[in-house]
Amino acid sequence: MTASTTPETVPGSDLPPAAYRMTSHEILALLAFEPGAGTALTRRVLGLAELPDDHDLVRAGVGTLNIRDTVEINGEEVTLLAEAKVLARIFSTSSEWFDITRIGSQYASPSYLVDSPAGRAAVFLRPLSEYLCLPLRDDVDLFDFVQAQVDEAVATLGSEGGGIVTSRRYSVRTQEPVVANIKIHEAGPHQLASAPLDEDGQLGVRDLEPAEQPGLVVRGLLAAAS
């Protein structure tokens, strides 16, 4: 996936031409078609780990892909086409995921970044388990994207009375994700929760200084895990 997408691009009314909508059962179908070293990581990050490859949702996903003309069916043989083929390769070979979730008083808005030898993409979860997938250029720095997403989420929640921005970095090399969360208060300093853990095994919490940029702080913590 090499279409031009910048870190500032987010889902909205004017979607880039390269944007591609998928449902969770379509993603399950893609992972069942091309299992690879990153399949388990993708399932884990997207909350699909408990569903087997032969689940009814997988068969439903194939049917939806067929309606979208992104599979070719020849007898018993089914072949992925176009965006479905590219995304299947990215998801099944994923080496790293970032999860930046904005949690307000009445909603949660997750967004993801996936990196793999086959390419990279931004994935936004929308209502009714619909995922909006956006291709990223090869020269886009994923940490630039993370920083921009965190700052945008903090600013939005700050104008809505507060909330939490959770940030996680997952890797095929490690069992546990790196976590850096920002709690946004309507009044008073924002708070950062991150490693090291305190004596009760919880993330350590500290107030952010007024001059500290939340996105830059989170970027530094997640990047340090490289």
Side-chain angles (χ1 to χ4, degrees), residues 5-219:
T5 303
T6 65
E8 292 76 23
T9 300
V10 295
S13 56
D14 297 321
L15 299 178
Y20 183 72
R21 290 184 172 93
M22 300 196 77
T23 60
S24 57
H25 56 274
E26 286 177 272
I27 293 178
L28 283 170
L30 298 187
L31 294 174
F33 266 102
E34 295 196 19
T39 297
L41 180 61
T42 296
R43 282 174 162 267
R44 176 187 173 198
V45 174
L46 297 182
L48 306 173
E50 301 303 319
L51 298 175
D53 289 345
D54 61 350
H55 193 275
D56 287 343
L57 287 177
V58 174
R59 290 186 284 274
V62 175
T64 306
L65 291 169
N66 187 37
I67 293 173
R68 297 184 194 271
D69 292 326
T70 51
V71 295
E72 182 178 74
I73 300 177
N74 184 9
E76 295 296 320
E77 184 176 350
V78 182
T79 305
L80 295 175
L81 305 173
E83 297 93 341
K85 184 175 183 178
V86 176
L87 287 171
R89 289 175 175 171
I90 291 175
F91 291 156
S92 66
T93 62
S94 66
S95 57
E96 198 159 58
W97 280 84
F98 295 87
D99 172 355
I100 303 96
T101 298
R102 186 174 67 205
I103 305 172
S105 58
Q106 299 181 2
Y107 68 94
S109 180
S111 60
Y112 307 92
L113 294 171
V114 55
D115 194 15
S116 82
R120 53 182 56 171
V123 181
F124 300 88
L125 179 59
R126 295 157 65 94
L128 303 178
S129 295
E130 180 187 62
Y131 294 86
L132 179 66
C133 304
L134 297 174
L136 298 178
R137 297 191 315 261
D138 292 340
D139 62 346
V140 169
D141 187 322
L142 294 184
F143 289 105
D144 285 348
F145 203 116
V146 169
Q147 182 177 341
Q149 286 292 296
V150 171
D151 282 334
E152 188 274 337
V154 168
T156 298
L157 289 173
S159 67
E160 296 177 351
I164 298 174
V165 178
T166 66
S167 302
R168 290 176 171 80
R169 181 183 183 184
Y170 296 84
S171 172
V172 293
R173 300 184 302 273
T174 58
Q175 185 66 27
E176 296 298 326
V178 181
V179 180
N181 299 334
I182 303 287
K183 186 171 185 179
I184 298 91
H185 297 279
E186 189 172 9
H190 301 329
Q191 291 181 311
L192 170 70
S194 64
L197 304 182
D198 62 21
E199 58 185 14
D200 296 321
Q202 303 298 314
L203 294 172
V205 178
R206 72 171 179 86
D207 291 344
L208 289 180
E209 298 295 332
E212 289 185 291
Q213 184 179 351
L216 189 60
V217 172
V218 170
R219 173 185 182 141

